């Protein structure tokens, strides 16, 4: 592997992972949203006071990860599983960037009026578009996590990822299952099921996996 090719990829991935976790600022900044119950994307809703900040960090994270994945596709050795993985991460980055440009107009998990308008189809079309882009982003992330973890083990590359990747994959799939079940329960009017906690764990694990990937790529030698 070319060191000159690996280092920019690692840097872009590391920066993307860091910016992707900007939502943890809610620990020290009063947002008015309960992190256990609300969607992460509600922090960036158009009616939230800090929405502009979180939309900007989502855009930056998406563009950084898209650039890192494309650089890897162009400059790093190509094998079937790595090509699939980097392409999936490129989709993740692109969809995350697009997602930031399609914010929710309000926060349905904390605003009953917003939830009622959403159910009645009286919210802007960006709500539906946001759901599509968010789904594409997470599908890309999951596909990339699985494919590049398989690549690390099958091709005996990226030692840190080969060691820790399988456990992170299992945890990520569990967190995704929790999130999807909670979303279904909320939309069916059957409670919240700590939706926010599940989704925050889901995206935190994605960021953690990206950090491990960045370290692994940076340590790879010719």
């Amino acid at each position: 592997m070319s060191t000159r090719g690996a280092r920019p990829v690692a840097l872009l991935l590391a920066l993307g992972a860091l910016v992707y976790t900007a939502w943890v600022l809610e620990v020290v900044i009063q947002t008015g949203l309960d992190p256990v119950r609300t969607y992460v994307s509600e922090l960036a809703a158009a009616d939230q006071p800090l929405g502009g900040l979180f939309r900007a960090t989502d855009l930056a994270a998406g563009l950084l990860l898209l650039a890192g994945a494309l650089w890897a596709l162009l400059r790093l050795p190509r094998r079937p599983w790595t090509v699939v993985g980097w392409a999936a991460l490129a989709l993740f980055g692109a969809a995350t960037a697009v997602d930031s440009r399609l914010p929710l107009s309000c926060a349905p998990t904390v605003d009953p009026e917003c939830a009622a308008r959403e159910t009645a189809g009286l919210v802007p079309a960006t709500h539906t578009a946001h759901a599509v882009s968010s789904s594409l982003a997470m599908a890309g992330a999951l596909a990339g996590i699985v494919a590049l973890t398989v690549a690390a083990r099958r091709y005996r590359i990226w030692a840190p990822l080969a060691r820790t990747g399988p456990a992170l994959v299992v945890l990520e799939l569990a967190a995704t299952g929790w999130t999807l079940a909670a979303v279904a329960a909320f939309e069916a009017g059957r409670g919240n099921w700590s939706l926010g906690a599940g989704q925050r764990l889901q995206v935190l694990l994605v960021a953690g996996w990206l950090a491990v990937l960045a370290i692994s790529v940076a340590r790879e030698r010719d």
Side-chain angles (χ1 to χ4, degrees):
M1 177 181 294
S2 169
T3 302
R4 288 188 300 173
R7 286 176 179 172
V9 171
L11 179 59
L12 289 166
L13 292 175
L15 289 174
L18 179 63
V19 180
Y20 189 61
T21 58
W23 55 268
V24 301
L25 290 172
E26 66 184 348
V27 174
V28 294
I29 297 176
Q30 181 64 12
T31 65
L33 298 177
D34 182 356
V36 175
R37 298 179 57 83
T38 59
Y39 291 109
V40 175
S41 57
E42 287 177 303
L43 292 167
D47 68 344
Q48 295 301 306
L50 297 176
L53 168 64
F54 292 111
R55 289 193 294 274
T57 55
D58 282 348
L59 176 61
L63 293 177
L64 286 165
L65 295 171
L66 174 60
L70 292 178
W71 192 291
L73 282 170
L74 291 172
R75 299 296 299 274
L76 301 188
R78 296 176 191 161
R79 295 172 177 174
W81 282 103
T82 61
V83 170
V84 171
W86 291 123
L89 283 191
L91 171 62
F92 169 50
T96 298
V98 170
D99 207 38
S100 72
R101 304 299 91 191
L102 299 168
L104 300 173
S105 64
C106 52
T109 62
V110 294
D111 183 349
E113 183 179 341
C114 175
R117 291 202 311 271
E118 193 172 63
T119 300
L122 300 178
V123 291
T126 51
H127 279 243
T128 299
H130 181 87
V132 172
S133 58
S134 294
S135 297
L136 285 173
M138 192 48 61
L142 289 172
I145 286 171
V146 171
L148 291 177
T149 299
V150 170
R153 295 182 67 82
R154 174 164 293 190
Y155 306 137
R156 298 183 183 279
I157 56 176
W158 306 331
L161 183 62
R163 288 194 302 269
T164 63
L168 290 173
V169 168
V170 171
L171 291 172
E172 178 62 29
L173 291 176
T176 298
W178 174 7
T179 302
L180 291 175
V183 170
F186 174 71
E187 292 181 347
R190 297 178 179 175
N192 185 272
W193 291 23
S194 299
L195 167 59
Q199 192 186 38
R200 281 162 176 77
L201 177 60
Q202 181 189 36
V203 297
L204 186 62
L205 285 167
V206 170
W209 180 90
L210 286 168
V212 173
L213 176 62
I215 292 169
S216 301
V217 170
R219 289 183 177 178
E220 198 76 4
R221 292 292 181 265
D222 293 333

